[in-house]
Amino acid sequence: MKLSVKGFEIHPGFLDPAQQRAILGAVRGVVADAPFFRPDTPYGKPMSVRMTAAGAYGWYSDKKGYRYVPNHPSGRPWPAIPAEVFEIWQQVTGVERQPQCCLINYYDAQAKMGLHQDRDETDMGWPVVSISLGDEGLFRMGNVTRGGKTESMWLRSGDVVVMGGAARLAYHGVDRIRSGSSTLLPKGGRLNLTLRMVE
Ligand code: SIN
Ligand code: MN
């Protein structure tokens, strides 16, 4: 089944529990090499979401602004994107070229992400793919310009969203996390992986 909400393509329950556990195992491998950190916004406030990444690039933010960087704050390159994650990208987009960044966001019970566009990439012709694991997150979908009517939906563990075409530059964000709604992560919280072509 596939839903379309304001041009966002939503695949509810795309990953079964065994696949979710496999991706989680792969994410743990990435995090062992590239631990989560909390980026500062350009305004100097730490984000509530913890982040890390895999691939040629990771997304980063500090007083200098938002950008993609080739190394984790440790100075080491980001680990490779796990094969299981590439496979999902291909299944939902049909794009053969492999994405260059798998951004990994961790939301604890209090974390959220304000409405924003993904616009630090060079070519908006490539889609962005988002994979949700763990607790449910209330995902808000807006328009390609700020403001206007938005629609929200709870993303559950195993759901996959494609932001492509007209929705590629649509505003989106996560209003809140439904703590305790999944048992996938032993300590709770939500993981979201986004796959992006950077250049
Ligand atoms: C993001 O926009 O980077 C994350 C979206 C999500 O957590 O579902
Ligand atoms: Mn985004």
Side-chain angles (χ1 to χ4, degrees):
M1 199 210 3
K2 184 165 89 179
L3 309 172
S4 174
V5 180
K6 294 180 81 72
F8 290 73
E9 217 174 274
I10 299 163
H11 300 259
F14 191 78
L15 303 170
D16 67 26
Q19 290 170 308
Q20 295 171 38
R21 286 192 294 272
I23 306 277
L24 176 61
V27 168
R28 287 191 170 128
V30 169
V31 173
D33 253 30
F36 281 111
F37 59 95
R38 196 184 280 231
D40 281 332
T41 64
Y43 322 103
K45 224 181 105 182
M47 296 183 68
S48 62
V49 172
R50 290 174 177 80
M51 292 185 178
T52 189
Y57 293 100
W59 187 85
Y60 194 72
S61 170
D62 62 13
K63 288 202 180 70
K64 287 192 250 167
Y66 303 135
R67 61 199 182 277
Y68 284 98
V69 295
N71 297 312
H72 181 271
S74 66
R76 293 192 302 273
W78 305 100
I81 300 180
E84 301 87 327
V85 176
F86 276 142
E87 206 176 305
I88 298 167
W89 161 272
Q90 283 199 332
Q91 287 170 344
V92 295
T93 64
V95 173
E96 288 298 324
R97 188 178 164 200
Q98 306 208 323
Q100 296 170 305
C101 172
C102 174
L103 177 66
I104 304 172
N105 292 330
Y106 175 74
Y107 299 75
D108 64 20
Q110 281 77 42
K112 56 189 178 208
M113 187 175 290
L115 276 177
H116 66 278
Q117 292 172 298
D118 288 2
R119 49 178 293 172
D120 301 316
E121 303 76 27
T122 311
D123 181 352
M124 304 302 169
W126 301 104
V128 170
V129 172
S130 138
I131 303 167
S132 294
L133 294 174
D135 284 341
E136 296 167 15
L138 187 58
F139 187 57
R140 185 191 289 269
M141 293 160 277
N143 308 292
V144 296
T145 52
R146 201 173 260 292
K149 194 175 164 292
T150 64
E151 283 194 46
S152 295
M153 137 165 210
W154 286 98
L155 291 181
R156 298 187 169 82
S157 197
D159 290 356
V160 174
V161 179
V162 182
M163 297 180 265
R168 175 61 181 79
L169 277 168
Y171 278 84
H172 58 278
V174 176
D175 288 345
R176 62 196 158 93
I177 301 302
R178 200 179 250 163
S179 190
S181 51
S182 162
T183 54
L184 183 71
L185 308 184
K187 291 180 186 159
R190 172 174 185 261
L191 280 171
N192 178 265
L193 279 56
T194 43
L195 296 162
R196 299 121 183 268
M197 203 69 79
V198 175
E199 53 177 21

